[in-house]
Structure formats: C-alpha cells, structure tokens
Amino acid sequence: GLPVSPAIIQPMDIDYVACKVPMFSFGRLKNSDPRLGVEMSSTGEVACFGVNAYEAFLKGMLAANFKLPAKNIVVSIGPVSAKTEFVNTGAARQLQDMGFSLFATKSTHEYLTKQGITCSLVYKPLIKREPNVLTMLHAGKIDMVIDVPDSMDSDALTDGFKMRRGAIEAGVSLITDIKTAIFAVTAMHKKWMRESSGKSFWDICSWQEYVEIVERLN
C-alpha cells in the first residue's frame, strides 16, 4: 500500500465520537441464553460515528440490528441495586416522559409503583396467568425487553431464560445489562427531546468527511 505516517491527535480536538458495538448470533443458537458474560466472543462488530456519545451509541445499536421501541416495553430487573439505579438515574421516568407504556414483572412492578412510575403488571412465563409476557411477545405487542437477571446462572427452566429466549425468537430488542439499559434510554430520550423541538438528532456524514477532520488535525 501507500506509505503512511503516524498522526498525533488529541481527543479534545476531534469533532465526533466513535462507538463500537458487538453483534451476537443468539437467534441462530437454539436454546442458548441471550445474556452476556465476560468470556463471550461476538460474531462481529460495527463501529459508528456521531457528534456525541448518544448519537454514536444509537447508530451502533441500530447497525447491530437493535430496533428502537415504538410503544410497549417490558421491564424485569432482579437486583434491588439495579432497580434503584434504574430509577435514580432517571431512566424509568424518561421512558414514561417519552410516552412508552411500561409493563413490569411482579417485584419490579411493586418497586416502580412505589417510586411513582406508572406501569402495568405482567406475569412471568412460568406463571400461567394473563397478561403473560410470553403471550404478549408472541402476539407482537412488545417492542423491547429490559431483563436484568439476579445472577449469571442460566437455567432453561427459569422465567428469565424463557423471557429472554422469547424476546429473541419474536425478534424483539433485548437488553440484559443495567448500564446498557440506562444509557440506551438516555440516548433515546436525547433523540426524543431534539426531535420534539423540531431539530434533527442524526448527523449523517460520509466517510470522507470524517477522514478530512483527521487530516486537518494532522
């Protein structure tokens, strides 16, 4: 190839943020638990640019086949610390402000309700009562599932496993990490705020435009 020389670039001088998002093939791995561990390897990655971390993150998620929710979201958070974080960071309130209908499993429903968050009770897969989360997933009534389990145990007989597999098999966006869930909600809220004020959230540039920024700093 052509000869190149190293570029000395200060991050503060760059006009954009890059975000890399892994891709996984849970849909093709029958009966696998779609949750992430520290030793898991992705089947691919996508990298996207944005004017800030929120835009770059959402672009990366969309490029990795994540679908932004339109109406109904299921929230099932096991650890109390994660429930507290979800509320204290404002993520739960942001979902409500954006007009989403929240459905929560028993303990999450009780916690969110006590914190003043409006949500509807939905039953876990192994509880044969309606409204049941699996029934709603199969009927196409859920757009996104936030399922943060208590531990790293994966048991095909657990409610959490069935809920996560149900989301994958229904082609519904699934988030199993509380930090990712909070950042995703925050990014969606930033997008909603800009578009509500008549401004565009997406900054679309060609690869050449990003390269020109680096060349200008070199």
Side-chain angles (χ1 to χ4, degrees):
L2 297 174
V4 297
S5 58
I8 300 175
I9 301 172
Q10 297 298 326
M12 292 297 292
D13 295 330
I14 299 178
D15 297 331
Y16 59 84
V17 175
C19 179
K20 187 167 68 172
V21 177
M23 296 181 67
F24 298 90
S25 300
F26 291 121
R28 288 184 286 176
L29 300 176
K30 188 176 181 181
N31 294 326
S32 64
D33 192 348
R35 59 188 301 181
L36 307 182
V38 294
E39 297 180 354
M40 295 185 68
S41 298
S42 64
T43 55
E45 295 172 328
V46 293
C48 293
F49 299 96
V51 295
N52 54 51
Y54 303 108
E55 185 199 6
F57 176 81
L58 279 190
K59 280 182 178 177
M61 293 288 279
L62 290 172
N65 298 322
F66 184 87
K67 301 172 185 174
L68 293 180
K71 185 178 180 182
N72 298 331
I73 297 174
V74 167
V75 182
S76 181
I77 303 175
V80 175
S81 59
K83 290 187 180 77
T84 303
E85 189 174 0
F86 192 66
V87 171
N88 289 350
T89 56
R93 183 71 62 185
Q94 287 174 337
L95 287 176
Q96 188 170 280
D97 292 344
M98 286 185 281
F100 289 110
S101 296
L102 300 184
F103 295 84
T105 52
K106 189 174 184 293
S107 64
T108 305
H109 176 266
E110 291 174 352
Y111 186 89
L112 293 180
T113 300
K114 288 180 181 178
Q115 300 300 318
I117 305 299
T118 302
C119 58
S120 302
L121 176 65
V122 65
Y123 293 100
K124 293 183 177 181
L126 296 179
I127 301 176
K128 304 304 180 182
R129 295 183 63 181
E130 298 294 341
N132 189 283
V133 63
L134 278 189
T135 304
M136 296 184 72
L137 283 169
H138 293 159
K141 295 181 178 179
I142 300 299
D143 301 316
M144 185 172 79
V145 173
I146 297 174
D147 177 64
V148 181
D150 274 306
S151 67
M152 286 305 295
D153 294 330
S154 291
D155 188 339
L157 300 178
T158 64
D159 281 306
F161 174 86
K162 292 184 178 297
M163 191 185 312
R164 293 188 290 274
R165 281 306 310 176
I168 293 297
E169 291 165 8
V172 173
S173 296
L174 171 68
I175 298 177
T176 60
D177 174 75
I178 190 62
K179 301 292 186 184
T180 304
I182 291 170
F183 198 83
V185 171
T186 304
M188 289 191 295
H189 190 261
K190 297 282 187 183
K191 177 178 179 293
W192 176 76
M193 288 287 288
R194 279 195 64 84
E195 293 177 343
S196 295
S197 62
K199 301 176 183 178
S200 174
F201 176 76
W202 305 112
D203 181 68
I204 309 300
C205 295
S206 66
W207 170 254
Q208 287 75 17
E209 289 175 282
Y210 288 118
V211 173
E212 286 172 1
I213 294 174
V214 175
E215 290 178 345
R216 190 173 68 245
L217 297 173
N218 191 1

